[in-house]
Amino acid sequence: MKLYTYSYNGCTYVGKGENKYIFPFTGISEMYELIGQELDKLPCGEAVPMSDVELLSPIISPKNDVICLGINYVEHGKEAARYNKEAFLRERPHAIYFSKRVNCAVSPNGNIEGHFDITNKLDYECELAFIISKDAKNVKKEDAYDYVFGYTIVNDVSARDLQTNHKQWYFGKSLDGFTPIGPCILTADETEFPPKLDIKSYVNGELRQNSNTEYMVFDIPHIISELSQGMTLKAGTIIATGTPSGVGMGFDPPKFLNAGDEVICEIEKIGRIVNKVI
Ligand code: MG
């Protein structure tokens, strides 16, 4: 099932998409209300054509910071180390975790704020993200699937100069308007586990990233199991699993984003988000 948050006639709804229509869940206006429910049994209102609604981010205001993985595809690790050895090169038997503040997620067709007054190294990162379905504590890898509500696309927009200057990546990844999420949540039952999905990004129509989520270094069972040892992952938590190679800093010379650029992040079965830099 594909789950959407959308605006129609000035009101916000949550619904399921089928063919080119959306069926609103009766009495539900926020995605979090769906987590833990038997979706098939929820009553729906009258369908509206998808073309008549404005899609919003499926989770507009995450309750918690988004948890992110750094350098979770081998080829991306190489390109990042080429760009800045001090910041990115390291021997890594363990996953890199960091977080990203998302006060308000950018809609699937919304604008990325460039913040060019404080950065001139603006970059994109197309990532598969998953949403936790129930509070997770001490979860074994083999049980991880039971804790996944579904999947979405995150563009982990990054100001590389802030990211490297401040050592911690938090500031350079958390500016307002830096996190497009969408276009939907694909429920976990709709794909294999762990997912093997083509993942791509384009800038102004040029293919930049082109990989498959099966090439993650640390996969979703590993992430859920490891993070839930001693730390409760609350239901609704969004975890972005890292980006493949082909980001702007990976090119020589780097191809950073400018005002007016259009970034498309696309993952098989989920869809695409199309965001313009302003
Ligand atoms: Mg990232």
Side-chain angles (χ1 to χ4, degrees):
M1 195 179 287
K2 283 184 170 182
L3 305 172
Y4 293 89
T5 302
Y6 61 98
S7 171
Y8 180 66
N9 282 343
C11 294
T12 300
Y13 299 89
V14 173
K16 59 180 176 182
E18 278 174 24
N19 299 317
K20 290 179 176 169
Y21 287 86
I22 297 188
F23 296 77
F25 291 111
T26 304
I28 288 180
S29 60
E30 221 222 337
M31 188 64 71
Y32 284 126
E33 297 170 51
L34 291 186
I35 294 178
Q37 302 253 27
E38 283 191 70
L39 301 180
D40 289 333
K41 295 186 176 166
L42 291 178
C44 287
E46 201 175 322
V48 291
M50 191 99 62
S51 54
D52 288 358
V53 310
E54 181 196 350
L55 290 184
L56 305 174
S57 176
I59 296 175
I60 298 168
S61 299
K63 285 183 194 166
N64 306 106
D65 282 358
V66 173
I67 297 175
C68 303
L69 275 90
I71 315 292
N72 200 31
Y73 288 76
V74 171
E75 290 303 313
H76 175 60
K78 291 179 188 169
E79 71 178 358
R82 270 199 309 275
Y83 174 72
N84 188 326
K85 247 187 194 171
E86 187 199 351
F88 296 108
L89 183 66
R90 61 198 72 185
E91 293 296 321
R92 282 191 323 106
H94 303 295
I96 296 174
Y97 298 113
F98 62 97
S99 66
K100 185 172 172 85
R101 172 63 53 95
V102 184
N103 290 330
C104 183
V106 175
S107 298
N109 298 295
N111 294 328
I112 295 166
E113 293 179 49
H115 296 278
F116 294 112
D117 51 337
I118 53 171
T119 179
N120 57 14
K121 293 184 168 58
L122 187 71
D123 211 344
Y124 52 90
E125 297 188 349
C126 178
E127 306 196 11
L128 176 72
F130 63 95
I131 295 96
I132 295 286
S133 61
K134 55 185 175 181
D135 290 0
K137 183 88 181 273
N138 296 325
V139 176
K140 295 191 184 92
K141 279 186 190 179
E142 55 266 34
D143 298 329
Y145 175 77
D146 296 338
Y147 292 83
V148 179
F149 177 66
Y151 305 97
T152 190
I153 304 170
V154 164
N155 185 347
D156 177 19
V157 176
S158 306
R160 298 298 181 200
D161 33 13
L162 299 181
Q163 187 184 355
T164 55
N165 288 350
H166 293 273
K167 304 292 181 193
Q168 290 277 339
W169 299 354
Y170 192 70
F171 180 36
K173 286 175 173 274
S174 298
L175 305 186
D176 293 343
F178 260 25
T179 313
I181 301 177
C184 64
I185 291 175
L186 180 75
T187 52
D189 58 306
E190 293 277 356
T191 190
E192 68 274 77
F193 186 78
K196 296 180 180 176
L197 302 172
D198 288 337
I199 175 168
K200 296 177 182 175
S201 72
Y202 302 81
V203 176
N204 300 330
E206 179 189 32
L207 180 64
R208 294 283 183 87
Q209 297 179 279
N210 186 7
S211 187
N212 189 287
T213 58
E214 71 173 307
Y215 300 124
M216 281 176 207
V217 178
F218 298 102
D219 64 11
I220 293 173
H222 177 100
I223 296 165
I224 293 176
S225 174
E226 183 165 72
L227 281 178
S228 71
Q229 307 306 309
M231 168 184 175
T232 304
L233 296 172
K234 301 293 287 181
T237 297
I238 303 172
I239 302 181
T241 56
T243 201
S245 62
V247 300
M249 71 172 169
F251 292 88
D252 185 17
K255 296 181 176 182
F256 292 119
L257 296 171
N258 297 300
D261 287 348
E262 180 194 75
V263 186
I264 296 176
C265 295
E266 186 177 88
I267 297 181
E268 189 184 354
K269 293 188 185 175
I270 303 174
R272 53 166 47 185
I273 53 177
V274 182
N275 303 100
K276 190 174 168 186
V277 179
I278 59 167

